[in-house]
Amino acid sequence: MVRDVRIKMCGLTQPAEVAAAAAAGADYIGFVFFPRSPRNVSPSAAAALAREAAPGLIKVALTVDADDAQMDTLMAAVPLDMLQLHGRETPARVAQIRARYGLPVMKAIGIAMREDLAGIEQYAAVADQLLIDAKPPKGAALPGGNALSFDWSLIAGRTWSLPWMLAGGLTPRNAAEAVRRTGAAQLDVSSGIESTPGVKDVDLMRAFAEAARR
């Protein structure tokens, strides 16, 4: 299996899912802290899952416009390696969180049209990684995990000054094409490895990793 594509499996809620992610060869695992998501976990539940994680797995917390009090609670409870900001956080807020907690920060940016690319460099100046995701449709309850992709030609051949990850509607069926068409060295998957919303499928997890690295 080729190892040059790094994979983040997000929205894990059960110990068996953490073990399956490790067995599939994931590099990152993500825990969602957003009550409206079917993948939401409490800080105490995430702490237990994080303790089950195999050595070397990068443990990522996905938050959405969390304030300092919420972040403080999360950081006190869960042993984390990275913070993923998936809301409308400004570049200044990204920089503040990065300085306050001393962890690498990945900022998610939703893309639907070429104009959405304009603000990326502002975040590239303050974040450690970027997550290039599909912009949620108007009125969507979730900022991500909507099983939607965007027009990959918008970012084909583009590079930024820091590592980036592709997300949005990725599945075992299109993972290899996504890598080929965008040049992404990292993929983020959540709904594409689920049997039902919030429930990961071990076979799909394994198939996704194999497809992405084929």
Side-chain angles (χ1 to χ4, degrees), residues 49-69:
L49 293 172
R51 288 192 291 267
E52 295 287 329
L57 268 178
I58 299 171
K59 300 176 290 296
V60 184
L62 186 160
T63 65
V64 180
D65 298 315
D67 60 24
D68 285 351

Side-chain angles (χ1 to χ4, degrees), residues 110-124:
I111 303 297
M113 57 188 68
R114 190 169 305 277
E115 289 75 11
D116 295 321
L117 301 172
I120 289 180
E121 289 301 334
Q122 297 178 31
Y123 288 102

